[in-house]
Amino acid sequence: MDLSVIVPCYNESDSLPHFLEAAARDFNASGLSVELILVNDGSADNTQDIIDDFVASGAMPHVCSVKFSRNFGKEASMLAGLRESTGDVCSFIDADLQQLPSTLLEMYARLTADDTYDVVCAYQEERKGGMRAWLSGRFYGVFNRMSSIQLEPNASDFRVFRRVVADSLLAMPEYHRFTKGLFSWVGFETLAVPYTPEQREGGESKWSVRSLLRYALGGMVSFSTAPLRLSMAIGSITALVGMAYLFVLLIDTVVLRNTPSGYPTLLAVMLILGGMILLSLGIIGQYLGRIYIESKRRPIYIAASVVRADDGQVRKLPPRTNEAHFSQTPLS
Ligand code: UDP
Ligand code: MG
């Protein structure tokens, strides 16, 4: 298999038919042996029917359909796709035609033309203005300052990469996955190419500003312990300021013989300190929560069914998680 194309799909019934049409056209014409891996991330609409029809139609020689037991998120879908992939080169692409299969093939050509690179990553050249673009710009700045790994600003999950990179990603068992960070962490030579996302073909983006904020916070907590040091720094600074202030008060009462007015200053200091203590606790809580969830070692996703179609032969595979097939290791 030359190329595995991994497509996470969540409630994509409006855009998926258009995507599949474009994918079948472009990948069949490419002359490569391409495997299309469609991961249905617990869609509530008829995304699965569309996928089933596509598998049955034989429009592409190699198709794999993975159906999650519920919505596990895009990161889990990408991991499931990687687990099922068999290609020498793997790739991620969205199901909404904001990223075109033809662009993916160009990226594949760039990757295979040059031995020096192991990853070709598309980054959004221009972001549409507005709150989101501003926030995500800030995110990359803060992330890169805080963490020891560096992210390509405006990098997307739209990437084409060699088997070694895919296996390296699979070797990372963490529950809280932040694929852009994982790509930086595993390293390898990366070629960044600009692209302009198309209009969404149908449906709407699954990201609200709130979910983006949560995603950004999760990414930072996953790849940096700087926030923990931040609370230490804030604590030391306030303690120093407090001591200096106490000294000033002493001079004021003992030497200058002024009676200090107590309660406004006390209230202010109490509020500030209380706020900082809660902030620090919150930061620690973020990490503690992560440790708690990671220590349960739950599977990252549950694939209720996996179907592979190769050259007209359709095989139904047993349900599985990222770690095991259920038929071999039953859940106890
Ligand atoms: N997606 C997914 N699970 C989710 C949310 C999104 O698999 O919980 C998929 C979605 O179907 C799409 C891709 O991730 O193929 C990107 O989602 P979206 O277009 O909403 O994000 P945007 O392009 O706005 O960043
Ligand atoms: Mg999109």
Side-chain angles (χ1 to χ4, degrees):
M1 198 65 62
D2 295 321
L3 173 65
S4 299
V5 179
I6 297 161
V7 195
C9 312
Y10 178 52
N11 292 345
E12 294 290 0
S13 57
D14 290 336
S15 54
L16 194 58
H18 305 282
F19 171 82
L20 291 173
E21 199 187 306
R25 188 186 57 226
D26 294 344
F27 293 134
N28 287 343
S30 69
L32 300 165
S33 86
V34 178
E35 159 189 71
L36 193 68
I37 302 172
L38 302 160
V39 184
N40 175 9
D41 185 11
S43 301
D45 60 3
N46 64 341
T47 297
Q48 190 59 40
D49 299 335
I50 297 169
I51 295 177
D52 290 344
D53 289 347
F54 185 76
V55 173
S57 76
M60 279 181 70
H62 305 282
V63 184
C64 175
S65 144
V66 180
K67 179 176 184 272
F68 280 3
S69 61
R70 65 166 170 86
N71 180 248
F72 282 91
K74 187 183 177 189
E75 298 290 331
S77 318
M78 294 196 289
L79 177 68
L82 275 184
R83 269 263 175 271
E84 301 303 328
S85 68
T86 58
D88 299 333
V89 172
C90 294
S91 58
F92 294 128
I93 188 169
D94 286 354
D96 54 11
L97 278 185
Q98 286 189 295
Q99 305 159 347
L100 297 175
S102 51
T103 318
L104 193 153
L105 284 169
E106 284 164 27
M107 287 159 66
Y108 176 83
R110 295 283 286 273
L111 180 78
T112 45
D114 194 342
D115 264 354
T116 49
Y117 292 109
D118 296 308
V119 183
V120 175
C121 153
Y123 68 92
Q124 296 190 13
E125 202 164 21
E126 49 191 274
R127 285 220 170 221
K128 278 171 240 101
M131 174 87 156
R132 278 188 195 198
W134 186 84
L135 277 177
S136 74
R138 295 289 77 70
F139 166 72
Y140 288 105
V142 174
F143 185 99
N144 286 344
R145 227 166 300 145
M146 270 182 12
S147 150
S148 53
I149 60 163
Q150 298 296 301
L151 292 184
E152 185 73 37
N154 294 331
S156 62
D157 292 324
F158 187 24
R159 289 169 197 246
V160 182
F161 45 96
R162 292 185 202 278
R163 183 83 254 164
V164 268
V165 185
D167 288 342
S168 312
L169 292 175
L170 284 169
M172 301 214 264
E174 60 215 78
Y175 186 85
H176 292 279
R177 300 183 78 79
F178 179 63
T179 302
K180 284 174 211 163
L182 295 181
F183 268 109
S184 297
W185 193 90
V186 297
F188 296 104
E189 294 298 326
T190 302
L191 175 70
V193 295
Y195 91 108
T196 317
E198 310 288 320
Q199 279 296 327
R200 215 174 200 289
E201 189 57 39
E204 51 190 40
S205 174
K206 313 292 177 302
W207 294 98
S208 61
V209 169
R210 213 173 117 198
S211 63
L212 274 177
L213 278 177
R214 196 179 318 130
Y215 178 69
L217 186 69
M220 289 185 191
V221 172
S222 287
F223 280 93
S224 165
T225 47
L228 287 173
R229 291 195 295 278
L230 179 78
S231 56
M232 217 166 72
I234 295 179
S236 342
I237 291 169
T238 34
L240 278 178
V241 171
M243 276 185 252
Y245 183 56
L246 187 72
F247 184 68
V248 171
L249 278 186
L250 273 177
I251 304 274
D252 202 30
T253 25
V254 177
V255 182
L256 303 178
R257 305 244 165 235
N258 288 327
T259 316
S261 60
Y263 114 90
T265 39
L266 265 183
L267 189 67
V269 170
M270 261 175 62
L271 284 178
I272 294 171
L273 277 182
M276 282 173 179
I277 292 170
L278 286 178
L279 176 76
S280 313
L281 277 179
I283 293 172
I284 295 170
Q286 284 288 324
Y287 288 89
L288 194 68
R290 290 298 176 97
I291 295 169
Y292 175 60
I293 298 287
E294 294 283 354
S295 67
K296 292 188 188 208
R297 295 194 43 82
R298 284 185 179 163
I300 296 168
Y301 62 83
I302 297 172
S305 80
V306 180
V307 175
R308 287 201 89 101
D310 293 288
D311 300 315
Q313 232 191 350
V314 181
R315 278 180 303 146
K316 218 172 158 341
L317 303 170
R320 62 193 59 191
T321 69
N322 50 308
E323 277 173 0
H325 292 205
F326 283 2
S327 54
Q328 287 162 6
T329 19
L331 289 180
S332 50

